[in-house]
Amino acid sequence: MGKRNYSQYCPLAYAMDVVGERWTLLIIRELMFGPRRFTDLQRGLPGIGTNLLSLRLKELEQRKLLRQRVLPPPAAATVYELDQLGYELAPAIRELSIWGMRYLCLPIPKQHHIGKVQSMFALMNSFLPADSDATLTIEFFDPYDAFYATISNRELLLQHGAAPQQPDAVVKTEWRSIVSIAGHQPDVYTALEQGLLNVTEGEADAVKRFFQQFTLPVAMEP
């Protein structure tokens, strides 16, 4: 049986034919900040089965939205990364995620998964620089993964992996803590006191200044 489509001469219908299957947009979300291994995608999408993930990746590769690449030694791992067509979806995905913010609330339900990319999205969607002179790089990590965030010229850069140059601070944390702190529940001062943010290198003041540039627009549960 061939893949179903809407059979409508409409650009939105055609777009949905390409990316409207379940999990497809979330796979693209996982790749927006750089290449990921298959196991990285599994960890970021814990509800998807191995066979279905393989199928969706194959479909996206056939549609020229992503490609596979083998990293040079010593890594020598196969990664998936967005192709040009995939990256062109990034603005639409960001706008859709901002639209979806109205359905989120704090505190985060305990049963809901928060992975690294969700925490990066929370920072991306809540960036509201209060300090025009802020120039900071903060590296965040948990036992499995890391990313870094750089603020410069009132712009935010988010990227997988360790910071290529010495950051202002290195912070061990849980990804859901980043989302909560971006929403000031708790604020960064309380988070540091409670150990939700553990500064392993650099200065805590840099972390405080960093989170002062974010306001996550979500509702609070009554």
Side-chain angles (χ1 to χ4, degrees):
M1 180 183 294
K3 188 176 179 181
R4 293 177 297 176
N5 61 66
Y6 290 100
S7 299
Q8 294 187 23
Y9 192 74
C10 164
L12 180 58
Y14 272 59
M16 291 297 292
D17 287 343
V18 176
V19 298
E21 293 285 350
R22 190 173 185 226
W23 295 106
T24 297
L25 284 179
L26 296 184
I27 291 171
I28 295 172
R29 177 201 70 188
E30 292 292 309
L31 298 172
M32 278 180 55
F33 300 108
R36 305 298 280 156
R37 297 170 299 178
F38 189 88
T39 52
D40 296 327
L41 294 172
Q42 285 182 305
R43 188 163 55 245
L45 302 166
I48 191 171
T50 301
N51 291 341
L52 183 55
L53 177 57
S54 297
L55 175 62
R56 291 288 180 264
L57 290 170
K58 182 179 179 180
E59 291 170 345
L60 288 169
E61 192 169 7
Q62 290 173 341
R63 294 280 193 171
K64 308 298 184 185
L65 271 72
L66 62 77
R67 58 176 176 252
Q68 294 186 56
R69 177 166 61 90
V70 178
L71 297 177
T78 299
V79 295
Y80 295 88
E81 60 186 4
L82 293 180
D83 217 328
Q84 182 60 36
L85 278 178
Y87 275 116
E88 288 175 4
L89 279 169
I93 290 176
R94 183 180 182 187
E95 289 301 318
L96 186 59
S97 71
I98 291 172
W99 181 84
M101 295 292 293
R102 71 193 68 200
Y103 299 107
L104 300 184
C105 63
L106 291 173
I108 302 166
K110 292 182 179 180
Q111 71 273 22
H112 285 192
H113 170 75
I114 299 286
K116 182 180 76 168
V117 173
Q118 286 100 312
S119 69
M120 297 169 80
F121 256 81
L123 293 178
M124 180 178 69
N125 289 342
S126 62
F127 182 55
L128 191 64
D131 183 353
S132 60
D133 296 326
T135 301
L136 295 162
T137 295
I138 308 295
E139 180 182 316
F140 298 95
F141 73 97
D142 77 348
Y144 305 101
D145 216 337
F147 77 89
Y148 66 94
T150 296
I151 297 174
S152 180
N153 297 321
R154 300 179 68 86
E155 294 185 353
L156 175 67
L157 170 68
L158 297 161
Q159 195 70 38
H160 293 304
Q165 298 180 344
Q166 183 65 36
D168 295 281
V170 178
V171 180
K172 183 179 181 180
T173 188
E174 294 183 356
W175 305 129
R176 65 174 48 237
S177 295
I178 293 176
V179 179
S180 297
I181 297 162
H184 304 287
Q185 293 289 318
D187 61 49
V188 63
Y189 301 95
T190 303
L192 287 164
E193 290 175 0
Q194 294 179 347
L196 298 175
L197 298 172
N198 180 13
V199 180
T200 61
E201 296 180 32
E203 299 294 331
D205 284 346
V207 180
K208 295 174 184 176
R209 191 178 180 197
F210 175 84
F211 276 102
Q212 288 168 356
Q213 315 306 314
F214 298 88
T215 301
L216 191 65
V218 297
M220 303 299 160
E221 286 186 344

